[in-house]
Coordinates of all heavy atoms in Angstrom, one line a residue:
V11 N -6.3 -11.9 5.7 CA -6.0 -13.1 4.9 C -7.0 -13.2 3.8 O -8.2 -13.1 4.0 CB -6.0 -14.4 5.7 CG1 -5.7 -15.6 4.9 CG2 -5.1 -14.3 6.9
T12 N -6.6 -13.4 2.5 CA -7.4 -13.5 1.4 C -7.9 -14.9 1.3 O -7.4 -15.8 2.0 CB -6.7 -13.1 0.1 OG1 -5.7 -14.0 -0.1 CG2 -6.2 -11.7 0.2
G13 N -8.8 -15.2 0.4 CA -9.4 -16.5 0.2 C -8.3 -17.5 -0.3 O -8.4 -18.7 -0.1
T14 N -7.3 -17.0 -1.0 CA -6.2 -17.9 -1.5 C -5.1 -18.1 -0.5 O -4.1 -18.7 -0.9 CB -5.7 -17.4 -2.9 OG1 -5.2 -16.1 -2.7 CG2 -6.8 -17.4 -3.9
G15 N -5.2 -17.4 0.6 CA -4.1 -17.6 1.7 C -3.1 -16.5 1.6 O -2.1 -16.6 2.4
Q16 N -3.2 -15.5 0.7 CA -2.2 -14.4 0.7 C -2.6 -13.4 1.8 O -3.8 -13.4 2.3 CB -2.2 -13.8 -0.7 CG -1.7 -14.7 -1.8 CD -1.7 -14.0 -3.1 OE1 -2.7 -13.5 -3.5 NE2 -0.6 -14.1 -3.8
L17 N -1.7 -12.5 2.1 CA -1.9 -11.5 3.1 C -2.1 -10.1 2.4 O -1.2 -9.7 1.6 CB -0.8 -11.5 4.1 CG -0.7 -12.7 5.0 CD1 0.5 -12.5 5.9 CD2 -1.9 -12.9 5.8
K18 N -3.2 -9.4 2.8 CA -3.5 -8.1 2.3 C -3.0 -7.1 3.3 O -3.2 -7.3 4.5 CB -4.9 -8.0 1.9 CG -5.3 -6.8 1.1 CD -6.7 -7.0 0.5 CE -7.8 -6.8 1.5 NZ -9.1 -6.6 0.9
R19 N -2.4 -6.1 2.8 CA -1.9 -5.0 3.7 C -2.2 -3.6 3.1 O -2.4 -3.5 1.9 CB -0.4 -5.1 4.0 CG 0.4 -4.9 2.7 CD 1.9 -4.9 3.1 NE 2.7 -4.7 1.9 CZ 3.0 -3.5 1.3 NH1 2.5 -2.4 1.9 NH2 3.7 -3.5 0.2
H20 N -2.2 -2.6 3.9 CA -2.2 -1.2 3.5 C -0.8 -0.7 3.1 O 0.2 -1.2 3.7 CB -2.9 -0.3 4.5 CG -4.3 -0.7 4.8 ND1 -5.3 -0.4 3.8 CD2 -4.9 -1.2 5.8 CE1 -6.5 -0.8 4.3 NE2 -6.3 -1.3 5.5
K21 N -0.7 0.3 2.3 CA 0.5 0.9 1.9 C 1.0 1.9 2.9 O 0.1 2.5 3.6 CB 0.4 1.5 0.5 CG 0.1 0.5 -0.6 CD 0.2 1.1 -1.9 CE -0.1 0.0 -3.0 NZ -0.1 0.6 -4.3
A22 N 2.2 2.1 3.0 CA 2.8 3.1 4.0 C 2.9 4.5 3.3 O 2.5 4.7 2.1 CB 4.2 2.6 4.3
N23 N 3.4 5.5 4.1 CA 3.6 6.8 3.6 C 2.3 7.5 3.3 O 2.2 8.4 2.4 CB 4.5 6.8 2.4 CG 5.8 6.1 2.6 OD1 6.5 6.3 3.6 ND2 6.2 5.3 1.7
T24 N 1.3 7.4 4.2 CA 0.0 8.1 3.9 C -0.4 9.0 5.1 O -1.5 9.5 5.1 CB -1.1 7.1 3.6 OG1 -1.3 6.2 4.7 CG2 -0.8 6.3 2.4
Q25 N 0.4 9.1 6.1 CA 0.0 9.7 7.4 C 0.2 11.2 7.4 O -0.7 11.9 8.0 CB 0.7 9.1 8.6 CG 0.3 7.6 8.8 CD -1.2 7.4 9.0 OE1 -1.8 8.1 9.8 NE2 -1.8 6.5 8.3
H26 N 1.3 11.7 6.9 CA 1.5 13.1 7.0 C 2.5 13.6 5.8 O 2.9 12.7 5.1 CB 2.1 13.6 8.3 CG 3.4 13.0 8.6 ND1 3.7 11.7 8.8 CD2 4.6 13.6 8.7 CE1 4.9 11.5 9.1 NE2 5.6 12.6 9.0
I27 N 2.7 14.8 5.7 CA 3.5 15.4 4.6 C 2.9 15.0 3.2 O 3.6 14.4 2.4 CB 5.0 15.0 4.7 CG1 5.5 15.2 6.2 CG2 5.8 15.9 3.8 CD1 6.9 14.7 6.4
M28 N 1.6 15.2 3.1 CA 1.0 14.8 1.9 C 1.0 15.9 0.8 O 0.7 15.6 -0.3 CB -0.5 14.4 2.2 CG -0.7 13.3 3.2 SD 0.0 11.7 2.5 CE -1.3 11.2 1.4
G29 N 1.3 17.1 1.2 CA 1.3 18.2 0.3 C 2.3 18.1 -0.9 O 2.0 18.5 -2.0
K30 N 3.4 17.5 -0.6 CA 4.4 17.4 -1.7 C 4.3 16.1 -2.5 O 5.0 16.0 -3.5 CB 5.8 17.4 -1.1 CG 6.1 16.2 -0.2 CD 7.6 16.2 0.3 CE 7.9 17.3 1.3 NZ 9.2 17.2 1.9
K31 N 3.4 15.3 -2.2 CA 3.1 14.1 -3.0 C 2.0 14.4 -4.0 O 1.1 15.1 -3.8 CB 2.6 12.9 -2.1 CG 3.7 12.5 -1.1 CD 3.1 11.5 -0.1 CE 4.2 11.1 0.9 NZ 3.7 10.8 2.1
S32 N 2.2 13.8 -5.2 CA 1.3 14.1 -6.3 C 0.0 13.4 -6.1 O -0.1 12.4 -5.3 CB 1.9 13.5 -7.6 OG 2.0 12.1 -7.6
T33 N -1.0 13.9 -6.8 CA -2.4 13.4 -6.6 C -2.4 11.9 -7.1 O -3.1 11.0 -6.5 CB -3.3 14.1 -7.5 OG1 -3.2 15.5 -7.2 CG2 -4.8 13.7 -7.3
K34 N -1.7 11.5 -8.1 CA -1.7 10.2 -8.6 C -1.0 9.3 -7.5 O -1.5 8.1 -7.3 CB -0.9 10.1 -9.9 CG -0.7 8.8 -10.5 CD 0.1 8.7 -11.8 CE 0.2 7.4 -12.4 NZ 1.0 7.4 -13.6
R35 N 0.1 9.7 -6.9 CA 0.7 8.9 -5.9 C -0.2 8.7 -4.7 O -0.3 7.6 -4.1 CB 2.0 9.6 -5.5 CG 2.8 8.9 -4.5 CD 4.1 9.6 -4.2 NE 4.8 9.0 -3.1 CZ 5.9 9.6 -2.5 NH1 6.3 10.7 -2.9 NH2 6.5 8.9 -1.5
K36 N -0.9 9.8 -4.2 CA -1.8 9.7 -3.1 C -2.9 8.7 -3.4 O -3.4 7.9 -2.5 CB -2.3 11.0 -2.7 CG -1.3 11.9 -2.1 CD -1.8 13.1 -1.5 CE -2.0 14.2 -2.5 NZ -2.3 15.5 -1.9
R37 N -3.4 8.8 -4.6 CA -4.5 7.9 -5.0 C -4.1 6.5 -5.0 O -4.9 5.5 -4.5 CB -5.1 8.3 -6.4 CG -6.2 7.5 -6.9 CD -6.8 8.1 -8.2 NE -5.8 8.1 -9.3 CZ -5.3 9.1 -9.8 NH1 -5.6 10.4 -9.4 NH2 -4.5 9.1 -10.8
N38 N -2.9 6.2 -5.5 CA -2.4 4.8 -5.5 C -2.0 4.3 -4.1 O -2.1 3.1 -3.8 CB -1.2 4.7 -6.4 CG -1.6 4.7 -7.8 OD1 -2.6 4.3 -8.2 ND2 -0.7 5.3 -8.7
L39 N -1.6 5.2 -3.2 CA -1.4 4.8 -1.8 C -2.6 4.5 -1.0 O -2.5 3.7 0.0 CB -0.7 5.9 -1.0 CG 0.8 6.1 -1.5 CD1 1.4 7.4 -0.8 CD2 1.6 5.0 -1.1
R40 N -3.8 4.8 -1.5 CA -5.1 4.5 -0.8 C -5.4 3.0 -1.0 O -6.1 2.4 -0.2 CB -6.2 5.4 -1.3 CG -6.2 6.7 -0.8 CD -7.5 7.4 -1.0 NE -7.9 7.6 -2.4 CZ -7.8 8.8 -3.0 NH1 -7.2 9.8 -2.4 NH2 -8.1 8.8 -4.3
K41 N -4.9 2.4 -2.1 CA -5.3 1.1 -2.4 C -4.4 0.1 -1.6 O -3.3 0.4 -1.1 CB -5.0 0.8 -3.9 CG -5.7 1.7 -4.9 CD -5.3 1.4 -6.3 CE -5.9 2.4 -7.2 NZ -5.4 2.2 -8.6
S42 N -5.1 -1.1 -1.3 CA -4.3 -2.1 -0.5 C -3.5 -2.9 -1.5 O -3.8 -2.9 -2.7 CB -5.3 -2.9 0.3 OG -6.2 -3.6 -0.6
T43 N -2.6 -3.7 -1.0 CA -1.7 -4.5 -1.8 C -1.5 -5.8 -1.1 O -1.8 -6.0 0.1 CB -0.4 -3.8 -2.1 OG1 0.3 -4.6 -3.1 CG2 0.4 -3.5 -1.0
L44 N -0.8 -6.8 -1.8 CA -0.5 -8.1 -1.1 C 0.9 -8.0 -0.6 O 1.8 -7.3 -1.2 CB -0.7 -9.2 -2.2 CG -2.1 -9.4 -2.7 CD1 -2.1 -10.4 -3.8 CD2 -3.1 -9.7 -1.6
T45 N 1.2 -8.8 0.4 CA 2.6 -8.8 0.9 C 3.5 -9.6 0.0 O 3.0 -10.4 -0.9 CB 2.6 -9.5 2.3 OG1 2.0 -10.8 2.1 CG2 1.9 -8.7 3.3
D46 N 4.7 -9.3 0.1 CA 5.7 -9.9 -0.8 C 5.9 -11.4 -0.4 O 5.8 -11.8 0.8 CB 7.0 -9.2 -0.7 CG 8.0 -9.6 -1.8 OD1 7.7 -9.5 -3.0 OD2 9.1 -10.0 -1.5
K47 N 6.3 -12.2 -1.4 CA 6.4 -13.6 -1.1 C 7.6 -13.9 -0.1 O 7.6 -14.9 0.5 CB 6.7 -14.4 -2.4 CG 5.5 -14.4 -3.3 CD 5.8 -15.1 -4.7 CE 4.7 -15.1 -5.6 NZ 5.0 -15.7 -6.9
T48 N 8.5 -13.0 -0.1 CA 9.8 -13.3 0.7 C 9.4 -13.2 2.2 O 10.1 -13.9 3.0 CB 10.9 -12.3 0.4 OG1 10.4 -11.0 0.5 CG2 11.3 -12.5 -1.0
V49 N 8.4 -12.4 2.6 CA 8.1 -12.3 4.0 C 6.8 -13.0 4.4 O 6.4 -13.0 5.5 CB 8.1 -10.8 4.4 CG1 9.4 -10.2 4.3 CG2 7.0 -10.1 3.6
L50 N 6.1 -13.5 3.4 CA 4.8 -14.1 3.6 C 4.8 -15.3 4.6 O 4.0 -15.3 5.6 CB 4.2 -14.6 2.3 CG 2.8 -15.2 2.3 CD1 1.8 -14.1 2.7 CD2 2.4 -15.8 1.0
N51 N 5.7 -16.2 4.5 CA 5.7 -17.3 5.3 C 6.1 -17.0 6.8 O 5.6 -17.5 7.8 CB 6.7 -18.4 4.8 CG 6.1 -19.1 3.6 OD1 4.9 -19.2 3.5 ND2 7.0 -19.6 2.7

């Protein structure tokens, strides 16, 4: 939970079969993101 009450989560698709994914995509998958408003509540 963030300070403003949002939920922070890790991105999916980072566990295996990484060879076919581009470096830019893998770098962006390392970052965390916030959950969508539709499922937050």
Side-chain angles (χ1 to χ4, degrees):
V11 182
T12 64
T14 57
Q16 294 177 313
L17 293 178
K18 193 163 72 165
R19 66 172 178 86
H20 293 291
K21 293 184 180 177
N23 304 315
T24 61
Q25 295 300 313
H26 64 292
I27 314 176
M28 299 297 283
K30 63 174 71 172
K31 295 173 182 151
S32 69
T33 307
K34 180 180 178 180
R35 182 176 172 192
K36 289 188 275 191
R37 184 171 61 247
N38 285 328
L39 287 172
R40 284 197 297 262
K41 301 174 184 175
S42 59
T43 185
L44 297 175
T45 55
D46 194 54
K47 293 178 184 177
T48 56
V49 296
L50 183 65
N51 288 333

